Amino acid sequence: MNILKDRFGRTFPYIRMSITDVCNFKCGYCLPNGYQVDKSDNRKFLHLDEIRRLSKCFSLLGVNKIRITGGEPTVRKDFFDIIKVLKFDSGIENIAITTNGYHLDQKAELLVKSGLTGINISMDSLNQETFKNITGHDRLPEILRGIKNLQDAGFENIKINAVLLNGINSSEKDFDQWSKFIEKNKVDFRYIELMRTGDNLEYFKKYHISSKKFKKYLNENGWIYQTFGKDSGPSLNYINPKFKGKFGIIAPYSKDFCKSCNRLRITSRGDLRLCLFGNTGINLRHLLKEDSQIDELKNLILKQMQFKKESHYLELGDTGSTKNLSKTGG
Ligand code: SAM
Ligand code: SF4
């Protein structure tokens, strides 16, 4: 079997695929003014057949996990058709999504029935007012109901991600609130350090904070750092036997973050992106027109692997062409 491997010995069993740039939220660090329609480009996002061909190709290249993201992936009218194609036609075992949880209460049952194996929900605060201020939407109760509905339907693999924002959701009180939540709920909660993108420099300067304070909180409250295997990705995970859920930290600015990189990205327009940041990668769409192009597609992707860089160089302020994460899917 072909295996996606780079010059630094890292392997890539995991793909994040953005299926749209469109989003219905206005998160301050991502799309503070909401999604702006660019009439010049006709929003030609990957269509169902292209997604089918690409996912099949990745499966043949040894990929065993795909995460569908965006923008907000659930805004696509054919969202459930996409999940179905991935589930039944790609050969990839683990099919996950990242969502802002819009209408999650109504969609939970369908999501469980679709056969998804994992759901990441972005939820920056358990405080209704804070949630509304960050996202521009007063939808925390609907998302909490959605999580309950997922759990009631027996869905196990739920992760919640919050972007850590200085002075907004980074106090001991916030940490305690999450702690109470995961004491009773079997979910993995992770804080992600705010990343600087092309669009958010002012926001970044104002709100970026290192995750050290949260790490200290975990150490002082009996949380035990859990080490995983080679392909587990860059999240630092913590367990505590008294709690149903787990805590985690995603710290992109930490020294060794890129060493455990195990993923490649596909943008909604079909660009292969070798890193969330930087400019490396090429468009694949010319090889997504016919099923018969699959060998050519495989070879092109394999060749691209030699261009993957060792680090994102984010600490040097290099955000490459990444204006905001709605384009590359976070
Ligand atoms: N709309 C979906 C959502 O919010 O879950 C999927 C796309 S969103 C770009 C994916 C993840 O990236 C979210 O968890 C979001 O909080 C995170 N994100 C966006 N911009 C970020 C930034 N500048 N730094 C860190 N995380 C960011
Ligand atoms: Fe939309 Fe997700 Fe960006 Fe928030 S983080 S604006 S929900 S794409």
Side-chain angles (χ1 to χ4, degrees):
M1 186 176 49
N2 289 306
I3 281 280
L4 292 169
K5 199 171 179 182
D6 72 2
R7 292 177 294 145
F8 308 99
R10 296 174 296 195
T11 52
F12 301 92
Y14 178 15
I15 299 296
R16 285 199 181 180
M17 184 187 282
S18 172
I19 56 169
T20 180
D21 294 353
V22 179
C23 186
N24 42 12
F25 276 25
K26 297 178 181 175
C27 302
Y29 44 78
C30 183
L31 294 174
N33 303 313
Y35 174 73
Q36 305 293 315
V37 180
D38 177 357
K39 287 191 182 126
S40 63
D41 78 357
N42 289 329
R43 287 183 279 165
K44 285 191 179 129
F45 305 125
L46 285 171
H47 59 70
L48 193 60
D49 273 333
E50 291 176 310
I51 293 171
R52 178 174 59 74
R53 291 181 187 120
L54 198 47
S55 55
K56 176 87 201 164
C57 176
F58 277 120
S59 158
L60 295 173
L61 288 169
V63 166
N64 60 28
K65 177 170 175 185
I66 188 162
R67 174 175 301 287
I68 294 300
T69 175
E72 173 50 31
T74 61
V75 302
R76 261 187 74 153
K77 291 205 173 67
D78 59 354
F79 170 76
F80 282 104
D81 298 326
I82 293 172
I83 302 301
K84 203 166 161 189
V85 154
L86 295 174
K87 184 86 194 154
F88 299 106
D89 283 348
S90 72
I92 297 177
E93 245 168 87
N94 299 302
I95 321 278
I97 61 163
T98 299
T99 174
N100 61 22
Y102 180 83
H103 281 177
L104 186 63
D105 50 350
Q106 295 163 34
K107 286 185 199 130
E109 206 183 321
L110 271 179
L111 287 168
V112 177
K113 281 190 183 145
S114 72
L116 281 178
T117 50
I119 300 181
N120 278 21
I121 301 158
S122 304
M123 211 163 97
D124 290 329
S125 176
L126 276 171
N127 176 297
Q128 191 168 348
E129 204 51 31
T130 309
F131 181 93
K132 186 172 138 199
N133 288 339
I134 299 173
T135 62
H137 279 261
D138 190 9
R139 293 189 180 274
L140 180 66
E142 137 187 340
I143 300 172
L144 289 171
R145 279 198 304 279
I147 293 174
K148 169 106 182 29
N149 293 351
L150 287 172
Q151 290 169 329
D152 288 348
F155 196 83
E156 290 269 321
N157 190 6
I158 303 173
K159 294 193 173 93
I160 297 177
N161 294 330
V163 180
L164 185 62
L165 301 168
N166 196 13
I168 297 186
N169 64 2
S170 60
S171 69
E172 291 246 342
K173 206 170 144 201
D174 292 295
F175 302 162
D176 284 341
Q177 221 175 4
W178 281 114
S179 186
K180 276 196 192 114
F181 186 80
I182 66 168
E183 189 173 2
K184 299 195 179 61
N185 288 282
K186 192 174 170 297
V187 299
D188 292 5
F189 171 80
R190 290 103 53 97
Y191 268 121
I192 312 175
E193 284 178 358
L194 174 65
M195 291 179 265
R196 183 182 152 188
T197 62
D199 281 352
N200 75 3
L201 180 59
E202 285 312 308
Y203 194 95
F204 177 84
K205 279 197 212 151
K206 206 164 162 193
Y207 297 118
H208 173 82
I209 179 181
S210 132
S211 51
K212 271 187 202 146
K213 181 177 165 190
F214 182 55
K215 213 181 228 179
K216 187 164 170 267
Y217 173 89
L218 294 178
N219 289 332
E220 286 171 358
N221 287 278
W223 288 87
I224 304 152
Y225 175 62
Q226 208 184 12
T227 41
F228 278 120
K230 195 164 131 281
D231 287 339
S232 60
S235 150
L236 308 172
N237 301 294
Y238 291 79
I239 49 168
N240 186 327
K242 291 186 210 130
F243 289 69
K244 284 192 177 169
K246 291 181 194 168
F247 269 131
I249 298 174
I250 301 177
Y253 291 91
S254 67
K255 188 168 68 58
D256 289 334
F257 185 75
C258 297
K259 278 195 180 141
S260 53
C261 182
N262 63 352
R263 62 208 58 192
L264 300 174
R265 293 181 154 84
I266 300 288
T267 70
S268 58
R269 325 277 168 144
D271 286 347
L272 171 70
R273 293 287 289 270
L274 302 174
C275 178
L276 181 53
F277 293 93
N279 303 314
T280 46
I282 45 156
N283 195 272
L284 303 173
R285 268 184 135 161
H286 61 293
L287 295 179
L288 293 174
K289 291 181 180 154
E290 308 276 346
D291 290 0
S292 60
Q293 293 174 295
I294 193 155
D295 285 336
E296 248 184 293
L297 182 62
K298 258 179 9 194
N299 288 335
L300 180 61
I301 296 172
L302 279 168
K303 273 195 197 129
Q304 281 297 305
M305 297 314 299
Q306 63 177 302
F307 301 114
K308 185 161 164 76
K309 293 184 183 161
E310 193 169 13
S311 162
H312 51 35
Y313 303 113
L314 208 53
E315 65 283 8
L316 306 177
D318 181 4
T319 59
S321 59
T322 307
K323 283 165 75 63
N324 57 64
L325 296 196
S326 78
K327 301 228 175 289
T328 30

